[in-house]
Amino acid sequence: MTELVLVEGLSDVQLISHYLQNVYGWKYEQENGLKIRPLDKHEHIESLSKDGNQLVLCGVGGNGNFGNFVKAHRINEMITEEDISSLMVVTDRDDMSKARIARGINDSLDKIQVKEGQWHNSVIRDRFGHDKNISTYLLIIPTSECGALERVIINALKDI
């Protein structure tokens, strides 16, 4: 199975990749089965594997670029055509409401939707007309205040 994770940028991809490799034993892979490649210098793609599963981490090139990334890389078609079992979107809260962030991301998705802070299961038809389950999750960081992932890390380091 392939898990697809969309994050804002390079530092997010590197942080998540480093954490998964060093804490959970995922292994870096040169290629990803989805054949997603960066289209410009702002995008970053990494692939990890563990126990026959693949995780494709995609830095979309910035907070406002989720919709453009989904369209340019044909993510909606890929979800239908490829062996993708889940889509997770991780984004900074910055100064927007959670509802506005979710609406913006869901506007770019065709047959599935993400819900903030919870796994959501969608049943879609694959390219052969068979039912296919896709699990989705929207993680907005930080959860209780405006800011970004860097703010969460700085606050955690203050407590040490």
Side-chain angles (χ1 to χ4, degrees):
M1 288 291 182
T2 301
E3 320 296 330
L4 182 60
V5 180
L6 305 181
V7 300
E8 289 184 16
L10 170 63
S11 61
D12 301 309
V13 169
Q14 290 176 330
L15 176 65
I16 293 168
S17 177
H18 178 79
Y19 187 79
L20 291 174
Q21 289 178 67
N22 290 293
V23 175
Y24 291 105
W26 286 79
K27 303 290 182 207
Y28 177 80
E29 298 288 333
Q30 281 291 99
E31 298 292 323
N32 67 76
L34 299 176
K35 308 272 189 278
I36 300 176
R37 305 272 186 268
L39 297 178
D40 62 36
K41 65 180 182 175
H42 303 291
E43 295 180 356
H44 186 77
I45 315 295
E46 283 194 20
S47 182
L48 304 173
S49 66
K50 181 179 179 183
D51 301 330
N53 295 315
Q54 184 174 62
L55 178 70
V56 181
L57 289 163
C58 302
V60 303
N63 185 351
N65 209 40
F66 284 99
N68 293 333
F69 187 91
V70 166
K71 185 176 181 179
H73 290 276
R74 300 181 59 248
I75 299 298
N76 287 307
E77 293 85 352
M78 197 175 289
I79 287 169
T80 302
E81 297 168 3
E82 302 292 337
D83 188 22
I84 296 173
S85 60
S86 69
L87 170 71
M88 176 182 266
V89 178
V90 181
T91 187
D92 294 338
R93 184 163 180 190
D94 296 324
D95 60 356
M96 290 189 289
S97 71
K98 291 179 182 181
R100 182 174 173 203
I101 294 168
R103 190 170 41 254
I105 292 168
N106 281 322
D107 284 349
S108 68
L109 300 171
D110 287 343
K111 298 177 182 175
I112 60 172
Q113 63 176 205
V114 295
K115 292 190 176 185
E116 190 271 322
Q118 62 181 323
W119 283 102
H120 176 73
N121 189 53
S122 296
V123 179
I124 63 170
R125 296 272 177 177
D126 68 13
R127 61 183 168 180
F128 302 110
H130 299 110
D131 286 346
K132 176 181 178 180
N133 290 314
I134 302 287
S135 297
T136 59
Y137 193 94
L138 173 60
L139 177 60
I140 300 173
I141 301 172
T143 57
S144 59
E145 61 187 346
C146 293
L149 178 59
E150 295 82 2
R151 173 61 40 210
V152 173
I153 293 170
I154 290 168
N155 288 344
L157 290 173
K158 285 192 315 188
D159 294 338
I160 295 175

